[in-house]
Amino acid sequence: MMTEEAFDVIVVGSCMTDLVSQSPRLPKEGETIHGRNFFIGFGGKGANQCVQAARLGAKTAMVAKVGKDSFGDGYLRNFKDNGVHAGFVGQSPDAATGVASITVTDAGQNAIVIVAGANALLSEKELGEALPAIASAKVLLCQLEIAPQTSLRALRMAKEKKVTTIFNPAPAMADLDPDFYRLSDVFCCNETEAELLTGRPADTAEEAERAGRELLRRGCGAVVVTLGARGCLVLKSANAAESLPATPVAALDTTGAGDSFIGALAFYMARYPQMQLGEMARRAGHVAAASVRAMGTQSSYPHKGDLAGELF
Ligand SMILES: Nc1ncnc2c1ncn2[C@@H]1O[C@H](COP(=O)(O)OP(=O)(O)OP(=O)(O)O)[C@@H](O)[C@H]1O
Ligand SMILES: *[C@@H]1O[C@H](CO)[C@@H](O)[C@H](O)[C@H]1NC(C)=O
């Protein structure tokens, strides 16, 4: 089957429903306590990044798996509401939609149980169905919240078709298949992931640069290391490292800032292919900074109209 529309950004990745309870403290083993507030949010690194790219104006598609249950139905509606093409999002009768059950205390502590559920069933079959769309896309974006082999396969498919790839090795895993580096045009990680992957500290600017160079040597086209409120570092082999400071903002909730940054980076790579990577990262930092000024994950992600015109 051929798709007529060429997508700017295709994400092969996860969808999770966040079940968030606020309580005075964390319950002890065997204990039941009363919480104050409860809300259901849309999360999962793959879907977060896809939604951020879509809100900036990218034509996006998601390749994912949810359960044939009410959370799965809700997630499909969320993609529709955000203008994300969900024709490659399957609903499996064999597993529940991925969930993150989150308890947040008034003091800001949290305890989280994640069940990957249907995300773990995303396989070659679904990728095969999406192949024509992947082949004609501008950018393919993957993370590690689905089976690593599925992400690897998606990156391979994209590279074979000369589609630009972005890989975000999150959540971090120590023994990453070396092919991930070679298949990444841009390898974008945070400092924790850089440390785990290189076995070196990445706390200071010098350490982060050394870790980034090590990742670059493993075969990526470029490396971006995000450093939270300190901004990010961009490395390309021939060039000196570029350090882009973060936009100073009154941070309210930094959850999901990394996904906002990566979704924005994918948007710029697809829509402004001539722009320097450092400039794209600078702009993605502005987008992510806007996201930390509001509560929640996807609920905090800015739309194009919320942002300064100079970013477009
Ligand atoms: N407090 C902040 N003020 C301004 N910008 C921020 C702040 N925190 C994060 N950012 C922006 O978001 C980008 C990504 O943040 P970070 O490095 O914390 O990612 P992350 O650790 O993957 O995030 P998370 O796991 O919290 O979603 C940073 O490079 C920066 O541009
Ligand atoms: C980096 O991302 C990981 C998920 O892979 C997360 O657990 C960790 O807290 C993040 N690190 C920082 C410094 O935000």
Side-chain angles (χ1 to χ4, degrees):
M1 185 196 76
M2 285 301 292
T3 38
E4 289 165 22
E5 12 170 24
F7 293 102
D8 291 319
V9 177
I10 298 199
V11 179
V12 176
S14 59
C15 300
M16 296 271 189
T17 304
D18 292 339
L19 306 176
V20 187
S21 303
Q22 197 189 349
S23 71
R25 60 179 174 81
L26 299 178
K28 298 192 176 67
E29 192 175 321
E31 190 187 23
T32 301
I33 60 172
H34 282 275
R36 297 187 213 288
N37 293 310
F38 173 77
F39 74 90
I40 297 183
F42 294 106
K45 290 174 189 297
N48 290 345
Q49 295 172 15
C50 193
V51 164
Q52 180 63 86
R55 288 192 183 171
L56 297 177
K59 189 173 170 112
T60 56
M62 186 77 198
V63 182
K65 203 160 228 185
V66 296
K68 209 167 176 52
D69 50 27
S70 59
F71 290 145
D73 296 342
Y75 224 118
L76 289 174
R77 210 165 330 123
N78 180 53
F79 283 136
K80 192 156 182 266
D81 292 345
N82 282 284
V84 172
H85 178 85
F88 308 116
V89 180
Q91 275 194 292
S92 169
D94 302 322
T97 298
V99 288
S101 192
I102 305 172
T103 306
V104 184
T105 69
D106 298 341
Q109 280 183 299
N110 63 45
I112 304 177
V113 177
I114 287 182
V115 182
N119 289 299
L121 301 183
L122 183 67
S123 67
E124 307 234 336
K125 180 176 162 289
E126 288 81 21
L127 277 184
E129 285 160 15
L131 178 58
I134 292 174
S136 63
K138 298 203 177 78
V139 168
L140 176 99
L141 172 55
C142 291
Q143 314 74 22
L144 289 174
E145 260 182 359
I146 56 172
Q149 287 311 313
T150 305
S151 293
L152 204 54
R153 175 106 186 88
L155 290 166
R156 261 195 208 109
M157 280 163 91
K159 285 314 300 171
E160 275 167 20
K161 301 292 180 186
K162 307 211 177 340
V163 173
T164 302
T165 57
I166 307 177
F167 176 59
N168 168 222
M173 60 192 273
D175 49 351
L176 196 63
D177 187 314
D179 281 352
F180 275 110
Y181 300 100
R182 295 191 277 268
L183 292 167
S184 302
D185 289 315
V186 175
F187 187 96
C188 183
C189 63
N190 71 13
E191 41 192 329
T192 319
E193 290 143 5
E195 283 184 12
L196 194 78
L197 293 168
T198 60
R200 302 168 173 217
D203 296 322
T204 68
E206 296 74 40
E207 287 171 348
E209 179 171 345
R210 232 171 291 140
R213 289 253 175 247
E214 167 61 28
L215 296 172
L216 202 55
R217 264 195 297 278
R218 295 181 187 176
C220 332
V223 171
V224 178
V225 184
T226 65
L227 305 167
R230 288 178 296 135
C232 71
L233 202 64
V234 175
L235 296 117
K236 280 188 103 164
S237 45
N239 309 2
E242 266 183 283
S243 174
L244 291 309
T247 315
V249 292
L252 190 62
D253 178 7
T254 61
T255 330
D259 291 338
S260 170
F261 181 95
I262 294 168
L265 191 64
F267 162 79
Y268 288 116
M269 286 175 63
R271 296 293 283 269
Y272 301 83
Q274 305 304 330
M275 194 181 278
Q276 292 293 314
L277 184 59
E279 175 61 13
M280 295 192 210
R282 186 187 72 82
R283 295 187 187 199
H286 279 293
V287 176
S291 85
V292 310
R293 299 177 63 194
M295 290 300 293
T297 305
Q298 288 181 24
S299 53
S300 74
Y301 288 0
H303 290 78
K304 181 176 183 181
D306 304 324
L307 296 161
E310 64 106 2
L311 294 177
F312 298 94

